[in-house]
């Protein structure tokens, strides 16, 4: 089992560009999450999903959109990237309480 | 607004020493308190977790102490090793939280010197 995988691993964007981060899990988990990690701020929840076709806002949703068309995939979109979105993005999935994290995507917005 | 406060931000201990990281929470409806460990370039991974019906949980060299009345919990790493050098996050989950969402602390960067 690959667990939780994320693509790409690293990306540089210019302000105003758009991109999609892909998360995939092969553990048949219902719950999936997108976090951003910034120094001194821990992990902050952007959006999450409790099942295929459902999404909900987390703590810091502004500037991001998500979709969960298939149970195993959770996509995070940035429609118009801003320098404030420079961060490391983590996807996670969960069956009940334990969350399994992917390796992260490092995003730099210039 | 951070509902889980973690301290210290960074910690340096000598090999064989005890590492202690503290967390405080506000929401009395939290019912699950995990600690996650993150190595550089990797995603966080569950280390140990506790529920509020017990005051202590031990797994090997790692112990969680939980004080419900003070709304505090801490991670103790006994006989700390250089391989324990990582960032540690405490977290908490509410009883009625949709999707088992976690609220994370700010993180503590632990360095264990050989």
């Amino acid at each position: 089992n690959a667990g939780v995988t994320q693509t790409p691993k690293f990306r540089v964007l210019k302000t105003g560009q758009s991109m999609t981060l892909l998360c995939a899990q092969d553990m048949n988990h219902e719950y999936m999450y997108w976090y951003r990690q910034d120094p001194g701020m821990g992990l902050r929840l952007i959006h999450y999903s409790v099942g295929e076709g459902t999404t909900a806002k987390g703590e810091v949703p502004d500037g991001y959109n998500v979709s969960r068309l298939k149970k195993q995939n959770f996509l995070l979109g940035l429609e118009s990237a801003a320098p404030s979105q420079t961060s490391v993005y983590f996807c996670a999935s969960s069956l009940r309480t334990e969350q399994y994290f992917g390796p992260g995507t490092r995003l730099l917005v210039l | 607004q951070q509902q889980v406060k973690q301290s210290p931000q960074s910690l340096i201990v000598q090999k064989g020493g005890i590492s202690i990281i503290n967390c405080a929470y506000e929401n009395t409806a939290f019912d699950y308190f995990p600690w996650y460990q993150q190595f550089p370039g990797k995603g966080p991974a569950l280390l140990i977790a506790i529920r509020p019906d017990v005051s202590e949980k031990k797994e090997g060299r790692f112990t969680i102490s939980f004080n419900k009345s003070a709304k505090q919990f801490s991670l103790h790493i006994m006989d700390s090793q250089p391989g324990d050098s990582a960032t540690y996050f405490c977290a908490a989950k509410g009883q009625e939280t949709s999707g088992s969402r976690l609220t994370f602390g700010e993180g503590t960067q632990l360095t264990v010197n050989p």
Side-chain angles (χ1 to χ4, degrees), chain A residues 8-28:
Chain A
K9 288 184 172 53
F10 176 69
R11 184 76 182 268
V12 179
L13 286 180
K14 294 181 179 178
T15 297
Q17 287 185 319
S18 63
M19 77 163 296
T20 300
L21 283 68
L22 172 63
C23 175
Q25 53 97 2
D26 61 2
M27 297 174 283
N28 202 35

Side-chain angles (χ1 to χ4, degrees), chain A residues 26-40:
Chain A
D26 61 2
M27 297 174 283
N28 202 35
H29 287 170
E30 288 293 336
Y31 304 153
M32 295 189 74
Y33 317 84
W34 275 108
Y35 294 92
R36 60 177 291 172
Q37 182 177 14
D38 303 290

Side-chain angles (χ1 to χ4, degrees), chain B residues 9-28:
Chain B
Q9 188 173 0
S10 63
L11 180 62
I12 300 174
V13 301
Q14 294 299 119
K15 179 181 175 181
I18 302 174
S19 303
I20 301 175
I21 305 171
N22 301 299
C23 282
Y25 62 95
E26 300 168 359
N27 187 348
T28 56

Side-chain angles (χ1 to χ4, degrees), chain B residues 23-109:
Chain B
C23 282
Y25 62 95
E26 300 168 359
N27 187 348
T28 56
F30 286 147
D31 68 347
Y32 173 73
F33 301 88
W35 284 89
Y36 280 77
Q37 180 188 53
Q38 183 183 29
F39 293 106
K42 304 292 186 182
L46 180 65
L47 181 64
I48 187 173
I50 197 168
R51 293 197 180 271
D53 52 348
V54 297
S55 60
E56 185 175 282
K57 183 174 182 180
K58 184 176 182 179
E59 291 185 0
R61 297 183 293 108
F62 300 91
T63 300
I64 299 179
S65 296
F66 186 80
N67 186 330
K68 190 174 182 177
S69 60
K71 293 187 288 185
Q72 295 176 347
F73 58 110
S74 60
L75 176 69
H76 296 237
I77 306 175
M78 310 300 288
D79 186 26
S80 298
Q81 300 296 312
D84 297 331
S85 297
T87 300
Y88 292 81
F89 294 96
C90 63
K93 183 188 78 68
Q95 289 177 341
E96 301 297 328
T97 301
S98 169
S100 290
R101 285 173 290 154
L102 295 174
T103 298
F104 284 88
E106 299 92 332
T108 296
Q109 187 167 350

Side-chain angles (χ1 to χ4, degrees), chain A residues 25-95:
Chain A
Q25 53 97 2
D26 61 2
M27 297 174 283
N28 202 35
H29 287 170
E30 288 293 336
Y31 304 153
M32 295 189 74
Y33 317 84
W34 275 108
Y35 294 92
R36 60 177 291 172
Q37 182 177 14
D38 303 290
M41 303 190 74
L43 292 153
R44 292 183 293 169
L45 184 65
I46 303 171
H47 286 281
Y48 67 101
S49 169
V50 299
E52 181 178 315
T54 72
T55 63
K57 294 180 180 180
E59 183 184 352
V60 289
D62 293 344
Y64 306 94
N65 57 76
V66 289
S67 64
R68 187 141 179 229
L69 300 179
K70 294 182 178 181
K71 185 177 183 178
Q72 64 268 33
N73 296 336
F74 197 27
L75 279 63
L76 178 71
L78 286 73
E79 290 186 348
S80 180
S84 61
Q85 294 178 304
T86 292
S87 187
V88 180
Y89 291 86
F90 286 100
C91 175
S93 71
S94 170
L95 186 60

